[in-house]
Amino acid sequence: LHSLDVRALGPKLPAKYTDKESGRASWLLAEVPRLVIGAEADCVVDIAGVKETGRFLDTPPEIIPNVPHDLMLTKEWKRSARVLLSFLNGLPQRFT
């Protein structure tokens, strides 16, 4: 079973501009809201990959315990919906 290595994938993507020291997206605008959600029982993107994505986007990831990769399609879908709703409700007015 292989996990997704976001750092290794980065140079292959159109957004190649990553700060070498921090691993963050150098093109990222600070004022753009972003959300990273990970699933603890994900067998596609592991927790390390979710955390790496959070670092890349300079935002702490939300890890939902005991759910698989397709968390929005399981009987626990409300848990991921609550995380998303909380994020959306917390956006400044200019983004809504």
Coordinates of all heavy atoms in Angstrom, one line a residue:
L1 N 0.9 -1.2 0.0 CA 0.0 0.0 0.0 C 0.9 1.2 0.0 O 1.8 1.3 0.8 CB -0.9 0.0 1.2 CG -2.0 1.0 1.4 CD1 -2.9 1.0 0.2 CD2 -2.8 0.7 2.6
H2 N 0.7 2.1 -0.9 CA 1.5 3.3 -1.0 C 0.7 4.6 -0.7 O -0.5 4.6 -1.0 CB 2.0 3.5 -2.5 CG 2.9 2.4 -2.9 ND1 4.2 2.3 -2.5 CD2 2.6 1.3 -3.7 CE1 4.7 1.2 -3.1 NE2 3.8 0.6 -3.8
S3 N 1.3 5.5 0.0 CA 0.6 6.8 0.3 C 1.0 7.8 -0.7 O 2.0 7.7 -1.4 CB 1.0 7.2 1.7 OG 2.3 7.5 1.9
L4 N 0.3 8.9 -0.7 CA 0.6 10.0 -1.6 C 1.6 10.9 -0.9 O 1.4 11.4 0.2 CB -0.7 10.8 -1.8 CG -0.6 12.1 -2.7 CD1 -0.2 11.7 -4.1 CD2 -2.0 12.8 -2.7
D5 N 2.7 11.1 -1.6 CA 3.8 12.0 -1.1 C 3.6 13.4 -1.8 O 4.0 13.6 -2.9 CB 5.2 11.5 -1.4 CG 6.3 12.3 -0.9 OD1 6.1 13.5 -0.5 OD2 7.4 11.8 -0.8
V6 N 2.9 14.3 -1.1 CA 2.6 15.6 -1.7 C 3.8 16.4 -2.1 O 3.9 17.0 -3.1 CB 1.7 16.4 -0.7 CG1 1.4 17.8 -1.2 CG2 0.4 15.7 -0.4
R7 N 4.9 16.3 -1.3 CA 6.1 17.0 -1.6 C 6.7 16.5 -2.9 O 7.2 17.3 -3.7 CB 7.1 17.0 -0.4 CG 8.3 17.9 -0.6 CD 9.1 17.9 0.6 NE 8.3 18.3 1.7 CZ 8.7 19.3 2.6 NH1 9.8 19.9 2.4 NH2 7.9 19.6 3.6
A8 N 6.8 15.2 -3.1 CA 7.3 14.7 -4.3 C 6.4 14.9 -5.5 O 6.9 15.1 -6.6 CB 7.5 13.1 -4.2
L9 N 5.1 15.0 -5.3 CA 4.2 15.3 -6.3 C 4.2 16.8 -6.8 O 4.0 17.1 -8.0 CB 2.8 14.9 -5.9 CG 1.6 15.1 -6.9 CD1 1.8 14.2 -8.1 CD2 0.3 14.8 -6.2
G10 N 4.5 17.7 -5.9 CA 4.5 19.1 -6.1 C 5.2 19.5 -7.4 O 4.7 20.3 -8.2
P11 N 6.5 19.1 -7.6 CA 7.2 19.5 -8.8 C 6.6 19.1 -10.1 O 6.9 19.6 -11.2 CB 8.6 18.9 -8.6 CG 8.7 18.7 -7.2 CD 7.3 18.4 -6.7
K12 N 5.7 18.1 -10.0 CA 5.0 17.6 -11.2 C 3.7 18.3 -11.5 O 3.1 18.1 -12.6 CB 4.7 16.1 -11.0 CG 6.0 15.2 -10.8 CD 5.7 13.8 -10.5 CE 6.9 13.0 -10.1 NZ 6.6 11.7 -9.6
L13 N 3.3 19.1 -10.6 CA 2.0 19.9 -10.8 C 2.3 21.2 -11.4 O 3.4 21.8 -11.3 CB 1.3 20.0 -9.4 CG 0.9 18.7 -8.8 CD1 0.4 18.9 -7.4 CD2 -0.1 17.9 -9.6
P14 N 1.2 21.9 -11.9 CA 1.4 23.2 -12.5 C 1.9 24.2 -11.4 O 2.6 25.2 -11.7 CB 0.0 23.6 -12.9 CG -0.7 22.3 -13.1 CD -0.1 21.4 -12.1
A15 N 1.5 24.1 -10.2 CA 1.9 25.0 -9.1 C 3.3 24.5 -8.5 O 3.3 23.9 -7.5 CB 0.9 25.1 -8.0
K16 N 4.3 24.8 -9.2 CA 5.7 24.3 -8.8 C 6.4 25.1 -7.8 O 7.5 24.8 -7.4 CB 6.5 24.1 -10.1 CG 6.0 23.1 -11.1 CD 6.9 23.1 -12.3 CE 6.3 22.1 -13.3 NZ 7.1 22.1 -14.6
Y17 N 5.8 26.2 -7.5 CA 6.6 27.2 -6.7 C 6.3 27.0 -5.2 O 5.4 27.5 -4.6 CB 6.2 28.6 -7.1 CG 6.3 28.8 -8.6 CD1 5.3 28.7 -9.5 CD2 7.6 28.9 -9.1 CE1 5.4 28.8 -10.8 CE2 7.8 29.0 -10.5 CZ 6.7 29.0 -11.4 OH 6.9 29.1 -12.7
T18 N 7.2 26.2 -4.6 CA 7.1 25.9 -3.2 C 8.4 26.4 -2.5 O 9.5 26.3 -3.0 CB 7.1 24.3 -3.0 OG1 6.0 23.8 -3.7 CG2 7.0 24.0 -1.5
D19 N 8.2 27.1 -1.4 CA 9.3 27.6 -0.6 C 10.1 26.3 -0.1 O 9.6 25.5 0.5 CB 8.8 28.4 0.6 CG 9.9 28.9 1.4 OD1 10.6 29.9 1.0 OD2 10.2 28.4 2.5
K20 N 11.4 26.3 -0.4 CA 12.2 25.1 -0.1 C 12.4 24.9 1.4 O 12.4 23.7 1.8 CB 13.6 25.3 -0.8 CG 13.6 25.5 -2.3 CD 13.1 24.2 -3.0 CE 13.2 24.4 -4.5 NZ 12.2 23.7 -5.2
E21 N 12.4 25.9 2.2 CA 12.7 25.7 3.6 C 11.4 25.3 4.3 O 11.4 24.4 5.1 CB 13.2 27.0 4.2 CG 14.7 27.3 3.8 CD 15.2 28.5 4.5 OE1 14.8 28.8 5.6 OE2 16.1 29.1 3.9
S22 N 10.3 26.0 4.1 CA 9.0 25.8 4.8 C 8.2 24.7 4.2 O 7.3 24.1 4.9 CB 8.2 27.1 4.9 OG 7.7 27.4 3.7
G23 N 8.4 24.5 2.9 CA 7.5 23.5 2.2 C 6.2 24.1 1.8 O 5.2 23.5 1.4
R24 N 6.0 25.5 2.1 CA 4.7 26.1 1.8 C 4.6 26.6 0.4 O 5.6 26.9 -0.3 CB 4.6 27.3 2.7 CG 4.4 26.9 4.2 CD 4.1 28.1 5.1 NE 4.0 27.6 6.4 CZ 4.6 28.1 7.4 NH1 5.5 29.1 7.3 NH2 4.4 27.6 8.6
A25 N 3.4 26.8 -0.1 CA 3.2 27.3 -1.4 C 3.6 28.8 -1.4 O 3.0 29.6 -0.7 CB 1.7 27.2 -1.8
S26 N 4.6 29.1 -2.2 CA 5.1 30.5 -2.3 C 4.1 31.4 -3.0 O 4.2 32.6 -2.7 CB 6.5 30.5 -3.0 OG 6.4 30.0 -4.3
W27 N 3.2 30.9 -3.7 CA 2.3 31.7 -4.5 C 1.0 32.0 -3.7 O 0.1 32.7 -4.1 CB 1.9 31.0 -5.8 CG 1.6 29.6 -5.6 CD1 2.5 28.5 -5.7 CD2 0.4 29.0 -5.1 NE1 1.9 27.4 -5.4 CE2 0.6 27.6 -5.1 CE3 -0.9 29.5 -4.8 CZ2 -0.4 26.7 -4.7 CZ3 -1.9 28.6 -4.4 CH2 -1.6 27.3 -4.3
L28 N 0.9 31.4 -2.5 CA -0.4 31.5 -1.7 C -0.6 32.9 -1.2 O 0.3 33.4 -0.5 CB -0.3 30.4 -0.6 CG -1.5 30.2 0.2 CD1 -2.6 29.6 -0.7 CD2 -1.2 29.2 1.3
L29 N -1.8 33.4 -1.5 CA -2.1 34.7 -0.9 C -2.6 34.5 0.5 O -3.5 33.7 0.8 CB -3.2 35.4 -1.7 CG -2.9 35.6 -3.2 CD1 -4.1 36.1 -4.0 CD2 -1.7 36.6 -3.3
A30 N -2.1 35.3 1.4 CA -2.4 35.1 2.9 C -3.8 35.3 3.2 O -4.4 34.6 4.1 CB -1.5 36.1 3.7
E31 N -4.5 36.2 2.4 CA -5.9 36.5 2.8 C -6.9 35.4 2.2 O -8.1 35.5 2.5 CB -6.3 37.9 2.3 CG -6.4 38.1 0.8 CD -5.0 38.4 0.2 OE1 -4.0 38.5 0.9 OE2 -5.0 38.6 -1.0
V32 N -6.5 34.5 1.5 CA -7.4 33.5 0.9 C -7.7 32.4 1.9 O -6.8 31.7 2.4 CB -6.8 32.8 -0.4 CG1 -7.7 31.7 -0.9 CG2 -6.6 33.9 -1.4
P33 N -8.9 32.2 2.3 CA -9.2 31.2 3.3 C -9.1 29.8 2.7 O -9.3 29.6 1.5 CB -10.7 31.4 3.7 CG -11.2 32.4 2.7 CD -10.1 33.0 1.9
R34 N -8.6 28.9 3.5 CA -8.4 27.5 3.1 C -8.7 26.5 4.2 O -8.5 26.8 5.4 CB -7.0 27.3 2.5 CG -5.9 27.8 3.3 CD -4.7 28.3 2.5 NE -3.8 29.0 3.3 CZ -3.8 30.3 3.5 NH1 -4.7 31.1 2.9 NH2 -2.9 30.9 4.2
L35 N -9.1 25.4 3.8 CA -9.4 24.3 4.7 C -8.8 23.0 4.2 O -9.0 22.7 3.1 CB -11.0 24.2 4.8 CG -11.5 23.0 5.6 CD1 -11.1 23.1 7.1 CD2 -13.0 22.9 5.4
V36 N -8.2 22.3 5.1 CA -7.6 21.0 4.8 C -8.3 20.0 5.8 O -8.2 20.2 7.0 CB -6.1 20.9 5.0 CG1 -5.6 19.5 4.8 CG2 -5.4 21.9 4.0
I37 N -9.0 19.0 5.2 CA -9.7 18.0 6.0 C -9.0 16.6 5.7 O -8.8 16.3 4.5 CB -11.2 17.9 5.7 CG1 -11.8 19.3 6.0 CG2 -11.8 16.8 6.5 CD1 -13.3 19.3 5.6
G38 N -8.7 15.9 6.7 CA -8.2 14.5 6.5 C -9.0 13.5 7.3 O -9.7 13.9 8.3
A39 N -9.0 12.3 6.9 CA -9.7 11.2 7.5 C -8.7 10.3 8.2 O -7.7 9.8 7.5 CB -10.5 10.5 6.5
E40 N -8.9 10.0 9.4 CA -7.9 9.2 10.2 C -7.7 7.8 9.6 O -6.6 7.3 9.6 CB -8.3 9.1 11.7 CG -7.4 8.4 12.6 CD -7.9 8.3 14.0 OE1 -9.0 7.8 14.2 OE2 -7.1 8.7 14.9
A41 N -8.8 7.2 9.2 CA -8.7 5.8 8.6 C -8.5 5.8 7.1 O -8.9 4.8 6.5 CB -9.9 5.1 9.1
D42 N -8.0 6.9 6.6 CA -7.8 7.0 5.1 C -6.7 6.1 4.6 O -5.6 6.1 5.2 CB -7.5 8.4 4.8 CG -7.6 8.8 3.3 OD1 -7.4 7.9 2.5 OD2 -7.9 9.9 3.0
C43 N -6.9 5.3 3.6 CA -5.9 4.4 3.1 C -5.4 4.9 1.8 O -4.5 4.3 1.1 CB -6.3 3.0 3.0 SG -7.7 2.7 1.8
V44 N -5.8 6.1 1.4 CA -5.4 6.8 0.1 C -4.4 7.9 0.5 O -3.3 7.9 -0.1 CB -6.6 7.3 -0.7 CG1 -6.1 8.0 -1.9 CG2 -7.5 6.2 -1.1
V45 N -4.8 8.8 1.3 CA -3.9 9.9 1.8 C -3.7 9.7 3.3 O -4.7 9.9 4.1 CB -4.6 11.3 1.5 CG1 -3.6 12.4 1.9 CG2 -4.9 11.4 0.0
D46 N -2.5 9.4 3.7 CA -2.3 9.1 5.1 C -2.2 10.4 5.9 O -2.2 11.5 5.3 CB -1.0 8.3 5.3 CG 0.2 8.9 4.8 OD1 0.2 10.1 4.5 OD2 1.3 8.2 4.8
I47 N -2.2 10.3 7.2 CA -2.2 11.5 8.1 C -0.9 12.4 7.8 O -1.0 13.6 7.8 CB -2.2 11.1 9.6 CG1 -3.5 10.4 9.9 CG2 -2.0 12.3 10.5 CD1 -4.8 11.2 9.7
A48 N 0.2 11.8 7.5 CA 1.4 12.5 7.2 C 1.1 13.4 5.9 O 1.6 14.5 5.9 CB 2.6 11.6 7.0
G49 N 0.4 12.8 4.9 CA 0.1 13.6 3.7 C -0.9 14.7 4.0 O -0.7 15.8 3.4
V50 N -1.8 14.5 4.9 CA -2.7 15.6 5.3 C -2.0 16.7 6.0 O -2.2 17.9 5.7 CB -3.9 15.0 6.2 CG1 -4.8 16.1 6.7 CG2 -4.7 14.0 5.4
K51 N -1.1 16.3 6.9 CA -0.3 17.4 7.6 C 0.6 18.1 6.7 O 0.8 19.3 6.8 CB 0.5 16.7 8.7 CG -0.4 16.2 9.9 CD 0.4 15.6 11.0 CE -0.5 15.1 12.1 NZ 0.2 14.4 13.2
E52 N 1.2 17.4 5.7 CA 2.0 18.0 4.7 C 1.2 19.0 3.8 O 1.7 20.1 3.5 CB 2.7 17.0 3.9 CG 3.8 17.5 3.0 CD 4.5 16.4 2.2 OE1 4.6 15.2 2.7 OE2 5.1 16.7 1.2
T53 N 0.0 18.6 3.5 CA -0.8 19.5 2.7 C -1.2 20.8 3.6 O -1.2 21.9 3.0 CB -2.1 18.8 2.3 OG1 -1.8 17.6 1.5 CG2 -3.1 19.7 1.5
G54 N -1.4 20.6 4.8 CA -1.7 21.7 5.7 C -0.5 22.7 5.8 O -0.7 23.9 5.7
R55 N 0.7 22.1 5.9 CA 1.9 22.9 5.9 C 2.1 23.7 4.6 O 2.4 24.8 4.5 CB 3.2 22.1 6.2 CG 3.4 21.8 7.6 CD 4.8 21.2 7.9 NE 5.1 20.0 7.1 CZ 4.7 18.8 7.4 NH1 4.0 18.6 8.5 NH2 5.0 17.8 6.6
F56 N 1.8 22.9 3.5 CA 1.9 23.5 2.1 C 1.0 24.7 2.0 O 1.3 25.7 1.4 CB 1.6 22.5 1.1 CG 1.7 23.0 -0.3 CD1 3.0 23.2 -0.9 CD2 0.6 23.1 -1.1 CE1 3.1 23.6 -2.2 CE2 0.7 23.5 -2.4 CZ 2.0 23.8 -3.0
L57 N -0.2 24.6 2.5 CA -1.2 25.7 2.4 C -1.2 26.6 3.6 O -2.1 27.5 3.8 CB -2.6 25.1 2.2 CG -2.7 24.3 0.9 CD1 -4.1 23.6 0.8 CD2 -2.5 25.2 -0.3
D58 N -0.3 26.4 4.6 CA -0.1 27.2 5.8 C -1.4 27.3 6.6 O -1.9 28.3 7.0 CB 0.4 28.6 5.4 CG 0.9 29.3 6.6 OD1 1.3 28.7 7.6 OD2 0.9 30.6 6.6
T59 N -2.0 26.1 6.8 CA -3.2 26.1 7.6 C -3.3 24.7 8.4 O -2.8 23.7 7.8 CB -4.5 26.2 6.7 OG1 -5.6 26.4 7.5 CG2 -4.7 25.0 5.8
P60 N -3.7 24.8 9.6 CA -3.7 23.5 10.4 C -4.8 22.6 9.8 O -6.0 23.0 9.6 CB -4.1 23.9 11.8 CG -4.7 25.3 11.7 CD -4.2 25.9 10.4
P61 N -4.5 21.3 9.6 CA -5.5 20.4 9.0 C -6.5 20.0 10.1 O -6.2 19.9 11.3 CB -4.7 19.2 8.6 CG -3.5 19.2 9.4 CD -3.2 20.7 9.7
E62 N -7.7 19.7 9.7 CA -8.7 19.1 10.5 C -8.7 17.6 10.2 O -8.9 17.2 9.1 CB -10.1 19.6 10.2 CG -10.3 21.1 10.4 CD -10.5 21.4 11.9 OE1 -10.9 20.5 12.7 OE2 -10.3 22.6 12.3
I63 N -8.4 16.8 11.3 CA -8.4 15.3 11.1 C -9.6 14.8 11.8 O -9.9 15.0 12.9 CB -7.1 14.7 11.8 CG1 -5.9 15.4 11.3 CG2 -7.1 13.2 11.5 CD1 -5.5 15.2 9.8
I64 N -10.5 14.1 11.0 CA -11.7 13.5 11.5 C -11.4 12.0 11.9 O -11.0 11.2 11.0 CB -12.8 13.6 10.5 CG1 -13.1 15.1 10.1 CG2 -14.1 13.0 11.0 CD1 -14.1 15.3 9.1
P65 N -11.6 11.7 13.2 CA -11.2 10.4 13.6 C -12.1 9.3 13.1 O -13.3 9.5 12.9 CB -11.3 10.5 15.2 CG -11.6 11.8 15.5 CD -12.0 12.6 14.2
N66 N -11.5 8.1 12.9 CA -12.3 6.9 12.6 C -13.2 6.9 11.4 O -14.2 6.3 11.4 CB -13.1 6.4 13.8 CG -12.2 6.3 15.0 OD1 -11.2 5.7 15.0 ND2 -12.7 6.8 16.2
V67 N -12.8 7.7 10.3 CA -13.5 7.6 9.1 C -12.5 7.4 7.9 O -11.4 7.7 8.0 CB -14.3 9.0 8.8 CG1 -15.4 9.1 9.9 CG2 -13.4 10.2 8.8
P68 N -13.1 6.8 6.8 CA -12.2 6.5 5.7 C -12.1 7.7 4.7 O -12.6 8.8 4.9 CB -13.0 5.4 5.0 CG -14.4 5.7 5.3 CD -14.4 6.3 6.7
H69 N -11.3 7.5 3.6 CA -11.1 8.5 2.6 C -12.3 9.2 2.1 O -12.4 10.4 2.0 CB -10.3 7.9 1.5 CG -10.0 8.8 0.4 ND1 -9.0 9.7 0.4 CD2 -10.6 9.0 -0.8 CE1 -8.9 10.4 -0.7 NE2 -9.9 10.0 -1.5
D70 N -13.3 8.4 1.8 CA -14.6 9.0 1.3 C -15.5 9.3 2.4 O -16.7 9.0 2.4 CB -15.2 8.0 0.3 CG -15.4 6.6 0.8 OD1 -15.0 6.3 2.0 OD2 -16.1 5.8 0.2
L71 N -15.0 10.1 3.4 CA -15.8 10.4 4.6 C -17.1 11.0 4.3 O -18.1 10.8 5.1 CB -15.0 11.3 5.5 CG -14.5 12.6 4.9 CD1 -14.6 13.7 6.0 CD2 -13.0 12.4 4.6
M72 N -17.3 11.7 3.2 CA -18.6 12.4 3.0 C -19.6 11.4 2.4 O -20.8 11.7 2.3 CB -18.4 13.6 2.0 CG -18.0 13.2 0.6 SD -16.4 12.3 0.6 CE -15.4 13.4 -0.3
L73 N -19.2 10.2 2.1 CA -20.1 9.2 1.6 C -20.5 8.1 2.5 O -21.1 7.1 2.2 CB -19.5 8.5 0.3 CG -19.1 9.5 -0.8 CD1 -18.4 8.8 -2.0 CD2 -20.4 10.2 -1.3
T74 N -20.0 8.2 3.8 CA -20.3 7.2 4.8 C -21.4 7.6 5.7 O -21.9 8.7 5.6 CB -19.0 6.9 5.7 OG1 -18.9 8.1 6.5 CG2 -17.8 6.7 4.9
K75 N -21.8 6.7 6.5 CA -22.9 7.0 7.5 C -22.5 8.1 8.5 O -23.3 8.7 9.1 CB -23.4 5.8 8.2 CG -22.3 5.2 9.1 CD -22.9 3.9 9.8 CE -21.8 3.4 10.7 NZ -22.2 2.2 11.5
E76 N -21.2 8.4 8.5 CA -20.7 9.5 9.4 C -20.5 10.8 8.6 O -19.8 11.7 9.1 CB -19.3 9.0 10.0 CG -19.4 7.8 10.8 CD -20.1 8.0 12.1 OE1 -20.1 9.2 12.6 OE2 -20.6 7.0 12.7
W77 N -21.2 11.0 7.5 CA -21.0 12.1 6.7 C -21.2 13.4 7.4 O -20.6 14.5 7.1 CB -21.9 12.0 5.4 CG -23.3 12.1 5.7 CD1 -24.2 11.1 6.0 CD2 -24.1 13.3 5.8 NE1 -25.4 11.6 6.2 CE2 -25.4 12.9 6.1 CE3 -23.8 14.7 5.7 CZ2 -26.5 13.9 6.3 CZ3 -24.9 15.6 5.8 CH2 -26.2 15.2 6.1
K78 N -22.1 13.4 8.4 CA -22.4 14.7 9.1 C -21.2 15.2 9.9 O -21.1 16.4 10.1 CB -23.5 14.4 10.1 CG -24.9 14.3 9.4 CD -26.0 14.1 10.4 CE -27.3 13.8 9.7 NZ -28.4 13.6 10.6
R79 N -20.2 14.3 10.3 CA -19.1 14.8 11.0 C -18.2 15.7 10.0 O -17.7 16.8 10.4 CB -18.2 13.6 11.5 CG -19.0 12.9 12.6 CD -18.4 11.6 12.9 NE -17.1 11.7 13.4 CZ -16.3 10.6 13.6 NH1 -16.7 9.4 13.2 NH2 -15.0 10.8 14.0
S80 N -18.0 15.3 8.8 CA -17.2 16.1 7.9 C -18.0 17.3 7.5 O -17.5 18.4 7.3 CB -16.8 15.3 6.7 OG -17.9 14.7 6.0
A81 N -19.3 17.2 7.4 CA -20.2 18.3 7.0 C -20.1 19.4 8.1 O -20.1 20.6 7.8 CB -21.6 17.9 6.8
R82 N -20.1 19.0 9.4 CA -20.0 20.0 10.5 C -18.6 20.7 10.4 O -18.6 21.9 10.7 CB -20.1 19.3 11.8 CG -21.5 19.0 12.2 CD -21.7 18.6 13.7 NE -21.1 17.3 13.9 CZ -21.7 16.1 13.9 NH1 -23.0 16.1 13.5 NH2 -21.1 15.0 14.1
V83 N -17.5 20.0 10.1 CA -16.2 20.7 10.0 C -16.3 21.7 8.8 O -15.9 22.9 9.0 CB -15.1 19.7 9.7 CG1 -13.8 20.4 9.3 CG2 -14.9 18.8 10.9
L84 N -16.9 21.4 7.7 CA -17.0 22.3 6.6 C -17.9 23.4 6.9 O -17.6 24.6 6.6 CB -17.5 21.5 5.3 CG -17.7 22.4 4.1 CD1 -16.4 23.1 3.7 CD2 -18.2 21.5 3.0
L85 N -19.0 23.2 7.5 CA -20.0 24.2 7.9 C -19.4 25.2 8.9 O -19.5 26.4 8.8 CB -21.3 23.6 8.5 CG -22.4 24.6 8.8 CD1 -22.8 25.3 7.5 CD2 -23.6 23.8 9.3
S86 N -18.6 24.7 9.9 CA -17.9 25.5 10.8 C -16.9 26.5 10.1 O -16.9 27.7 10.4 CB -17.2 24.7 11.9 OG -16.5 25.5 12.8
F87 N -16.2 25.9 9.2 CA -15.3 26.7 8.4 C -16.0 27.8 7.6 O -15.6 29.0 7.6 CB -14.5 25.8 7.4 CG -13.6 26.5 6.5 CD1 -12.4 27.1 6.8 CD2 -14.0 26.7 5.1 CE1 -11.6 27.8 5.9 CE2 -13.3 27.4 4.2 CZ -12.0 27.9 4.6
L88 N -17.0 27.4 6.9 CA -17.8 28.4 6.1 C -18.4 29.5 7.0 O -18.4 30.6 6.6 CB -18.9 27.7 5.3 CG -18.3 26.7 4.2 CD1 -19.5 25.9 3.6 CD2 -17.6 27.5 3.1
N89 N -19.0 29.1 8.1 CA -19.6 30.1 9.0 C -18.6 31.0 9.6 O -18.9 32.1 10.0 CB -20.4 29.4 10.1 CG -21.7 28.8 9.6 OD1 -22.2 29.2 8.6 ND2 -22.1 27.7 10.3
G90 N -17.3 30.6 9.7 CA -16.3 31.4 10.2 C -15.6 32.4 9.2 O -14.7 33.2 9.6
L91 N -16.0 32.3 8.0 CA -15.4 33.1 6.9 C -15.8 34.6 7.1 O -16.9 34.9 7.5 CB -15.8 32.7 5.5 CG -15.3 31.4 5.0 CD1 -15.9 31.1 3.7 CD2 -13.8 31.4 4.9
P92 N -14.8 35.5 6.9 CA -15.2 36.9 6.9 C -16.2 37.2 5.9 O -16.3 36.5 4.8 CB -13.9 37.6 6.6 CG -12.8 36.6 6.9 CD -13.4 35.3 6.6
Q93 N -17.0 38.2 6.1 CA -18.2 38.6 5.3 C -17.7 38.8 3.8 O -18.5 38.4 2.9 CB -18.8 39.9 5.8 CG -19.9 40.4 5.0 CD -21.2 40.0 5.6 OE1 -21.3 39.8 6.8 NE2 -22.3 39.9 4.8
R94 N -16.5 39.3 3.6 CA -16.1 39.6 2.2 C -15.9 38.3 1.3 O -15.9 38.3 0.1 CB -14.9 40.4 2.2 CG -13.6 39.7 2.6 CD -12.4 40.6 2.6 NE -11.2 40.0 2.7 CZ -10.6 39.7 3.9 NH1 -11.2 40.2 5.0 NH2 -9.4 39.1 4.0
F95 N -15.9 37.1 2.0 CA -15.8 35.9 1.3 C -17.1 35.1 1.1 O -17.1 34.1 0.6 CB -14.8 35.0 2.0 CG -13.4 35.5 1.9 CD1 -12.7 35.9 3.0 CD2 -12.7 35.5 0.7 CE1 -11.4 36.4 3.0 CE2 -11.4 36.0 0.6 CZ -10.7 36.4 1.8
T96 N -18.2 35.7 1.6 CA -19.4 35.0 1.6 C -20.4 35.7 0.6 O -20.1 36.7 0.1 CB -20.1 34.9 2.9 OG1 -20.3 36.3 3.4 CG2 -19.3 34.2 3.9

